[in-house]
Amino acid sequence: MTDRVVLAYSGGLDTTVAIPYLKKMTGGEVVAVSIDLGQGGEDMESVRQRALGAGAVEAVVVDARDEFADNYCLPTIKANGMYMKQYPLVSAISRPLIVKHLVEAAKEHGGTHVAHGCTGKGNDQVRFEVGFMDNAPDLKIIAPARDYAWTRDKAIAFAEENNVPIEQSASSPFSIDQNVWGRAIETGYLEDLWNAPTKDIYAYTEEPSLGQAPDEVVISFRAGRPVAIDGREVTVLQAIEELNRRAGAQGVGRLDMVEDRLVGIKSREIYEAPGAITLITAHEALEDVTLERELARYKRGVDAEWSNQVYDGLWFSPLKRSLDAFIESTQEHVTGDIRLVLHNGSIQVNGRRSEESLYDFNLATYDTGDTFDQTLSKGFVQLHGLSSKIANSRDRRFSK
């Protein structure tokens, strides 16, 4: 039986060259699988034809845009998913979906191996391979860029020597990954932490200082799910796409951070995720008025751990599944509207309303009609601080 390698195929230099290279190294056939995650740019049929032109025996394109939005972006919204309180997990949430479809393609096309184009320095190798181990442990894994010391200059040389159709050149400085949830840019001159990013690296966002008029938007949620924008019903995918346009036009969602990678190194990353940042900001604001205090406090810790699990490639882990269940249980009353102003790269929440709100005007007001019994507070304060008072009294007595 001839080996068949199912390759996660993006259409770029590395994965295009990987097709003939994998054929040469394994003596087998290559099935290229490309996933449409709303990344835009090149037509997916052109990507498919490039894979066939490079020598793939089969080239599969999967339209997973709604699946990605509903099953991967939406859980990220509900979890307020932000690694290191900043990064909305743009690449991390796409990898388990790609794994799912590669495993399905391996079953359909008789795959014996799966392959990805990740290096040994990054997080994605972990995300892909742990995903494969969790879902199809019998499949053998090949990572040409890591396992065969495959570098960009070697890839270009191999393409030229073997007449592989590629469009990239050695002068392209950046590594870019993008989908509808956002865009990640790294390498090149960005590896010098003192170098500021230049305007040409951005594609999803406009320069914040262009002086656009403020854009006020109302986002409606039902049980944590965005269901309408300015009163018009939308799917999750449509919500992300519209806010990518509107928030992106205001320069919202740009991020320049030094990230703690899973492999132990620090890496400078540039992200732009206008729709993601806007939706998470609105969702957090609605949770502020619909979640009980202790539940909200506890969920913030769960959200952080959920983000760590996803970033670390553990989408299919038992802990992450249990965190999903907890987070979903918190969303029952996260229903209502959030009004935001998008302007000059910033988001300002200026309105909140919900029939399931825990905000009680009569308790909160300082004006006539206040129903809060302030006489109860004196005893509460005394009891609340009692244990701390006793401990500090003891410490003063025995301090040297």
Side-chain angles (χ1 to χ4, degrees):
M1 177 180 173
T2 301
D3 285 340
R4 273 202 162 187
V5 182
V6 179
L7 170 67
Y9 182 69
S10 69
L13 167 68
D14 294 332
T15 54
T16 297
V17 174
I19 294 173
Y21 190 75
L22 287 168
K23 290 171 62 177
K24 178 180 178 181
M25 296 301 295
T26 66
E29 299 172 333
V30 176
V31 176
V33 179
S34 303
I35 316 294
D36 185 353
L37 300 174
Q39 57 266 36
E42 190 173 14
D43 177 70
M44 294 302 289
E45 178 59 24
S46 299
V47 173
R48 194 180 81 84
Q49 290 299 326
R50 183 177 304 123
L52 294 172
V57 295
E58 300 275 0
V60 179
V61 171
V62 180
D63 183 351
R65 290 173 294 176
D66 280 301
E67 181 184 9
F68 181 53
D70 291 339
N71 299 337
Y72 298 83
C73 299
L74 179 57
T76 307
I77 295 169
K78 291 180 177 180
N80 303 311
M82 302 277 269
Y83 179 66
M84 295 176 66
K85 300 181 180 180
Q86 300 177 73
Y87 164 49
L89 302 166
V90 168
S91 298
I93 63 171
S94 74
R95 299 329 188 210
L97 177 55
I98 296 171
V99 165
K100 173 180 178 284
H101 284 288
L102 258 66
V103 169
E104 290 177 358
K107 292 177 181 176
E108 182 178 350
H109 296 280
T112 56
H113 298 67
V114 283
H116 60 77
C118 307
T119 71
K121 280 189 174 183
N123 305 303
D124 283 338
Q125 59 176 334
V126 180
R127 295 165 183 158
F128 277 120
E129 296 186 22
V130 171
F132 292 136
M133 289 188 291
D134 285 343
N135 290 276
D138 293 337
L139 289 172
K140 298 175 183 177
I141 301 170
I142 305 176
R146 180 191 65 198
D147 300 342
Y148 304 134
W150 196 247
T151 60
R152 188 175 180 83
D153 55 340
K154 288 181 181 178
I156 293 171
F158 183 87
E160 292 173 348
E161 292 168 6
N162 294 272
N163 297 314
V164 180
I166 60 170
E167 297 180 3
Q168 291 85 348
S169 69
S171 62
S172 301
F174 304 119
S175 173
I176 298 173
D177 179 55
Q178 64 188 49
N179 55 55
V180 74
W181 193 236
R183 190 164 176 268
I185 311 102
E186 63 179 7
T187 71
Y189 70 81
L190 296 172
E191 291 176 347
D192 184 334
L193 300 183
W194 195 247
N195 287 337
T198 52
K199 295 179 181 179
D200 61 300
I201 72 170
Y202 296 106
Y204 285 11
T205 55
E206 298 291 344
E207 179 63 29
S209 60
L210 284 178
Q212 302 269 24
D215 185 2
E216 187 172 82
V217 58
V218 176
I219 304 174
S220 302
F221 291 85
R222 185 180 304 123
R225 181 189 188 97
V227 294
I229 295 179
D230 292 334
R232 180 177 56 83
E233 290 189 5
V234 291
T235 65
V236 178
L237 177 62
Q238 289 168 340
I240 299 167
E241 289 175 334
E242 179 167 342
L243 292 170
N244 274 343
R245 291 191 296 271
R246 292 174 64 173
Q250 295 286 342
V252 166
R254 291 187 178 186
L255 175 63
D256 181 345
M257 67 181 288
V258 175
E259 188 175 292
D260 287 324
R261 282 189 177 176
L262 179 56
V263 296
I265 63 176
K266 289 185 181 289
S267 174
R268 203 269 188 88
E269 307 284 342
I270 304 296
Y271 296 106
E272 46 181 350
I277 296 296
T278 304
L279 283 164
I280 290 173
T281 300
H283 180 263
E284 285 184 312
L286 187 56
E287 283 193 334
D288 287 344
V289 298
T290 56
L291 293 191
E292 182 271 335
R293 183 189 67 186
E294 296 305 317
L295 178 59
R297 285 180 176 176
Y298 194 83
K299 184 176 184 289
R300 283 191 281 273
V302 172
D303 289 347
E305 181 55 35
W306 188 94
S307 299
N308 289 339
Q309 288 278 304
V310 173
Y311 183 87
D312 290 351
L314 298 172
W315 183 273
F316 302 103
S317 74
L319 174 56
K320 192 270 186 179
R321 287 198 301 271
S322 294
L323 297 178
D324 282 336
F326 170 80
I327 290 168
E328 190 62 34
S329 75
T330 68
Q331 299 301 290
E332 178 182 1
H333 300 294
V334 185
T335 296
D337 306 315
I338 296 295
R339 190 177 63 231
L340 317 96
V341 176
L342 311 170
H343 190 226
N344 285 351
S346 69
I347 305 173
Q348 181 66 51
V349 176
N350 70 0
R352 310 151 180 87
R353 66 186 176 195
S354 170
E355 292 184 357
E356 303 184 51
S357 170
L358 296 176
Y359 178 85
D360 186 326
F361 176 84
N362 292 323
L363 289 173
T365 184
Y366 286 87
D367 293 335
T368 302
D370 178 8
T371 60
F372 186 87
D373 187 349
Q374 298 191 40
T375 64
L376 299 175
S377 293
K378 182 176 181 179
F380 165 75
V381 173
Q382 292 292 323
L383 293 176
H384 180 69
L386 184 58
S387 65
S388 178
K389 174 184 175 182
I390 293 169
N392 279 288
S393 178
R394 184 272 319 271
D395 293 346
R396 285 192 298 271
R397 290 199 312 271
F398 290 96
S399 62
K400 296 180 181 179

